[in-house]
Amino acid sequence: MFPNGLIALAFGYLLGSIPFGMVLTQVAGTQDLRSIGSGNIGATNVLRTGRKGLAAATLLGDMLKGTAAVVIALLLSGPGAAMAAALGAFLGHLFPVWLKFRGGKGVATYIGVLLGLFWPAALAFCAIWLLVAFTTRYSSLSALIASLATPLLLWWLGHPQFAVLFAMLTLLLWFTHRENIRRLVAGSEGKIGAKA
């Protein structure tokens, strides 16, 4: 079981480290994604290129690579391997070896691995995100609150192992959003739909 877990972790990491934002924008011939906006490789920064289709494709790719890692590991080696693959995919997205360990903030991949492990919680995450976004118009705050609720929901629904895993992923996601948190506290965070 231990070797399978390590293999699943490595497999998840490699799959998670595929930088869809970079790949898609390079194929489309836009400027280097790391030289615009936040310099992030995620869908939000891809949107700053003005290419909504590319942003949507990046969001889908970053999400589904997490789902694929979990589902493949689950089918081949069972639930323990699936959890290891989930952790690996999330770490791969945040710290991809191909980009000197500077990756995305992880929201799409967080949803993707959650979808693969327990899809009702992924739907709940999205519902909470939409509710907070509609109320406050802060994308980052929506992700922070939805991720904070996720381990609690998983625990309440009788999945303590998933709850522990997603508590770890939530801590990592909050770490990647530390600048957003500072701006939220300072009142300078940009709102959804606001002009730059």
Side-chain angles (χ1 to χ4, degrees):
M1 190 64 180
F2 184 67
N4 283 351
L6 284 179
I7 292 170
L9 181 72
F11 168 72
Y13 176 85
L14 290 174
L15 201 54
S17 66
I18 299 171
F20 279 101
M22 290 287 296
V23 172
L24 292 171
T25 52
Q26 286 182 359
V27 169
T30 68
Q31 66 187 102
D32 189 334
L33 195 56
R34 293 166 294 182
S35 69
I36 62 173
S38 65
N40 193 270
I41 65 167
T44 300
N45 208 39
V46 174
L47 192 58
R48 294 188 176 104
T49 66
R51 306 285 291 274
K52 293 180 181 179
L54 285 181
T58 299
L59 180 67
L60 193 62
D62 284 346
M63 184 177 75
L64 292 182
K65 68 186 180 184
T67 306
V70 169
V71 171
I72 292 170
L74 179 64
L75 291 174
L76 293 179
S77 297
M83 290 178 63
L87 176 60
F90 194 69
L91 291 173
H93 180 76
L94 299 188
F95 311 110
V97 64
W98 329 110
L99 299 177
K100 299 180 181 178
F101 305 103
R102 294 182 61 188
K105 293 187 178 180
V107 177
T109 307
Y110 186 105
I111 296 170
V113 297
L114 187 56
L115 184 64
L117 286 171
F118 188 61
W119 65 264
L123 294 182
F125 180 103
C126 293
I128 295 168
W129 191 98
L130 288 169
L131 178 62
V132 178
F134 180 78
T135 305
T136 69
R137 292 177 52 217
Y138 287 118
S139 176
S140 57
L141 183 62
S142 303
L144 292 168
I145 291 176
S147 67
L148 192 62
T150 297
L152 300 174
L153 178 64
L154 288 167
W155 189 278
W156 182 67
L157 291 174
H159 297 281
Q161 289 183 311
F162 292 167
V164 171
L165 172 64
F166 279 90
M168 293 169 52
L169 300 191
T170 295
L171 286 174
L172 287 167
L173 189 141
W174 277 58
F175 173 76
T176 64
H177 282 76
R178 59 196 181 278
E179 293 299 327
N180 301 87
I181 294 170
R182 291 191 188 104
R183 289 193 296 269
L184 284 166
V185 172
S188 59
E189 178 77 332
K191 291 190 174 186
I192 297 169
K195 293 183 179 179

